[in-house]
Amino acid sequence: MNITVVMQQLVGGMGASLLIFVLTLIGSLPLGMIVALLRKSRFAVVRGIISVYISIMRGTPLMLQLLCWYFGPYYLFG
């Protein structure tokens, strides 16, 4: 393989990785702020629900979460 072809593939992969990073950042920062604010809520029910959500997100592997998000709506809604 030619070195220029390899470099083009690496640069393309880096661009895709940066795009995924930026999209993840755009989605995760607002979600994290909402979860943080709800965790400080004065309502015990809201704090409890958020605590369960945090425990589930921390306690399960990322790959399992991704599979649930990807395949879950299909199996739930058809």
Side-chain angles (χ1 to χ4, degrees):
M1 235 185 201
N2 193 350
I3 191 74
T4 57
V5 173
V6 172
M7 290 303 290
Q8 287 175 346
Q9 290 176 345
L10 286 173
V11 169
M14 186 177 70
S17 295
L18 287 174
L19 176 64
I20 292 170
F21 169 73
V22 168
L23 292 175
T24 302
L25 198 63
I26 290 170
S28 65
L29 283 176
L31 178 63
M33 291 298 293
I34 290 169
V35 169
L37 291 173
L38 289 175
R39 191 171 186 198
K40 299 290 185 185
S41 174
R42 60 184 169 137
F43 301 109
V45 174
V46 174
R47 283 194 317 262
I49 292 170
I50 292 300
S51 294
V52 169
Y53 171 78
I54 291 171
S55 295
I56 290 171
M57 289 297 133
R58 281 184 166 176
T60 57
L62 179 60
M63 185 58 77
L64 177 63
Q65 294 172 16
L66 291 173
L67 287 172
C68 287
W69 281 106
Y70 186 78
F71 291 111
Y74 173 76
Y75 287 113
L76 289 175
F77 306 116

